[in-house]
Amino acid sequence: MVSLFNKLQRGGLLASGQRAGAVTDTIRSFSGRNLRSTRRGKSVVNFNIPYLPQHEKLRTAEVRFLRHPDNNANSRRYKFRIHIRKNGKIAGKFVVRQRCVAQGEYDVFDVTDIVRPWINSYHGNISLQIRVSKKLQRQTLVALKDTSLQSTSLIVLYLEDSEFLKNMYTSFTEDDIAEHSTHRAKRDLSLKENQHMGTDIFDVLSNSTILTKFRVRRDSKKNRRRRTRKNRKWFRTGRKENCQIYDFEVDFNAIGWGQWIIHPKRFNSRFCFGQCPSPIDVKYKPTNHAMLQTLMRMKRPNVAPLPCCVPTRLSPVSMLYFEYDEIVVRHHEDMVADECGCR
């Protein structure tokens, strides 16, 4: 999965010839298990695909066989049989005749048309048994007798889940709001109990050194915040900077996502900040709407606000996740601000 991640970062192509980012934003892989050979001397590889999230839809599926180091890459035509099992019973039988595509140390076969209906209908929870012909077996590292080799083959699922980060954000913020509400309810209950006992907690605090220490600590924190903000170029008051791009480091450990995001732990997302001049210069790439808005403001200043400084070009980021005891590659669009403009 790490090599697939690196390939995706470099803009690599799938076996179908398509660019990965154009057809998928989520990649899952499952290792094949070499079973005992059949009576005809053909090796059998079994792929167990667990239950997948319902909102993930399969776009492309590939079976990858690790090539024997003594063999060169070729585009020969091979034949193999696929049995799909559901709840231990055979649910479908297929024969594949296809030329392999050499990618690195793997020979790759596109099995999208066979696998897609079963993945999208049952969300996984199936197994694929592939009978490998002797010709393909000689080309790959699929073992005839040695069943200890567990990772000589992979099935790679290229799925689409464009709402993943949005769903994670919603879940995270809802949990945070619920936790805040619980904390507030406990605090209100504590205040009511103190008032019921005939003791005004605020009077007690005001007559003790506790409140004084609390105020000093709070004031020092405020002063530190002010100093930090002063040092930030984008936050300097009194200076009207024009719309431009600034560095902005996103730290997944800081927001509580670092436990399940493998890489990157942090990245420079950048952001846009500043005023949009009136009239707008063409270097800010304004829309027609923004240009008309500034022209109207020149004649009637209170008719509308100034256009906003926003990202006009964003680039994606690929990330490695750890989900349900497996490594998943996800490709997220619109993650890094590359250019700013007035809209």
Side-chain angles (χ1 to χ4, degrees):
M1 288 299 284
V2 174
S3 62
L4 280 173
F5 173 79
N6 292 331
K7 175 186 169 184
L8 182 63
Q9 291 285 75
R10 296 190 297 267
L13 301 178
L14 306 181
S16 59
Q18 296 174 293
R19 194 169 297 279
V23 297
T24 182
D25 56 23
T26 303
I27 304 176
R28 298 180 182 272
S29 71
F30 304 97
S31 297
R33 185 166 62 93
N34 298 322
L35 304 178
R36 293 184 179 277
S37 302
T38 62
R39 292 179 181 177
R40 297 181 180 180
K42 295 179 181 179
S43 187
V44 178
V45 182
N46 188 73
F47 297 97
N48 285 319
I49 302 176
Y51 187 82
L52 304 176
Q54 292 190 6
H55 44 78
E56 291 185 1
K57 298 297 182 184
L58 181 69
R59 293 292 178 249
T60 305
E62 296 175 347
V63 173
R64 293 171 168 256
F65 293 108
L66 191 63
R67 192 183 312 110
H68 197 284
D70 294 337
N71 295 329
N72 297 322
N74 61 61
S75 59
R76 294 176 61 183
R77 193 178 186 87
Y78 295 100
K79 173 185 173 182
F80 51 90
R81 298 178 183 273
I82 297 179
H83 290 179
I84 294 181
R85 292 181 176 270
K86 177 72 174 174
N87 297 325
K89 298 180 180 179
I90 295 179
K93 296 181 179 181
F94 305 91
V95 177
V96 176
R97 294 181 179 87
Q98 191 180 127
R99 292 185 182 277
C100 67
V101 176
Q103 288 189 347
E105 57 188 355
Y106 283 96
D107 289 329
V108 186
F109 297 89
D110 190 334
V111 293
T112 304
D113 293 338
I114 294 174
V115 176
R116 181 160 50 196
W118 300 91
I119 298 294
N120 289 343
S121 297
Y122 295 101
H123 308 290
N125 199 23
I126 60 172
S127 65
L128 273 74
Q129 282 191 353
I130 299 180
R131 289 188 179 183
V132 182
S133 65
K134 289 183 178 181
K135 186 167 65 172
L136 179 58
Q137 187 176 310
R138 286 192 295 268
Q139 172 73 7
T140 66
L141 277 175
V142 175
L144 180 63
K145 296 180 180 179
D146 185 6
T147 59
S148 63
L149 296 175
Q150 299 292 316
S151 57
T152 61
S153 55
L154 291 170
I155 184 168
V156 184
L157 306 180
Y158 299 89
L159 305 120
E160 185 178 24
D161 182 13
S162 57
E163 301 296 313
F164 175 76
L165 273 184
K166 188 181 293 184
N167 292 334
M168 289 302 304
Y169 175 81
T170 302
S171 175
F172 184 77
T173 51
E174 285 178 350
D175 291 343
D176 192 48
I177 292 171
E179 184 179 350
H180 178 73
S181 300
T182 303
H183 177 73
R184 185 174 181 179
K186 288 181 179 179
R187 185 190 63 184
D188 294 344
L189 181 61
S190 177
L191 288 174
K192 286 181 181 180
E193 288 176 350
N194 279 283
Q195 289 175 354
H196 181 70
M197 292 172 63
T199 304
D200 190 344
I201 190 169
F202 294 106
D203 290 341
V204 173
L205 286 173
S206 62
N207 294 325
S208 67
T209 59
I210 297 175
L211 183 58
T212 304
K213 291 180 179 178
F214 174 74
R215 283 175 176 166
V216 170
R217 193 182 302 116
R218 185 178 61 183
D219 290 342
S220 64
K221 286 182 178 179
K222 283 185 177 179
N223 289 334
R224 282 200 301 271
R225 289 196 193 102
R226 287 195 190 102
R227 284 197 300 270
T228 305
R229 288 174 179 175
K230 242 182 181 181
N231 293 331
R232 294 177 192 153
K233 184 180 176 182
W234 67 272
F235 203 83
R236 291 178 188 174
T237 55
R239 293 184 60 181
K240 296 181 179 180
E241 301 282 352
N242 283 338
C243 177
Q244 57 187 291
I245 199 163
Y246 294 89
D247 289 333
F248 170 52
E249 186 179 80
V250 174
D251 188 344
F252 290 116
N253 288 324
I255 61 177
W257 291 8
Q259 292 183 348
W260 45 277
I261 294 179
I262 301 173
H263 180 80
K265 291 292 187 182
R266 59 179 67 186
F267 71 100
N268 187 7
S269 182
R270 297 198 286 262
F271 69 90
C272 299
F273 183 78
Q275 284 195 337
C276 290
S278 180
I280 300 178
D281 195 296
V282 291
K283 71 178 183 180
Y284 295 105
K285 299 184 178 180
T287 58
N288 293 335
H289 180 272
M291 288 189 292
L292 292 175
Q293 187 171 331
T294 54
L295 289 175
M296 281 298 296
R297 273 186 57 86
M298 292 173 67
K299 300 296 182 182
R300 299 179 183 177
N302 297 324
V303 74
L306 281 169
C308 298
C309 178
V310 297
T312 54
R313 184 163 57 87
L314 296 152
S315 58
V317 170
S318 295
M319 299 166 63
L320 276 173
Y321 292 81
F322 189 72
E323 299 177 18
Y324 307 109
D325 299 327
E326 64 178 88
I327 295 176
V328 180
V329 175
R330 292 188 183 275
H331 185 74
H332 302 294
E333 296 290 339
D334 302 336
M335 292 284 282
V336 178
D338 290 332
E339 191 177 81
C340 297
C342 294
R343 299 292 162 92

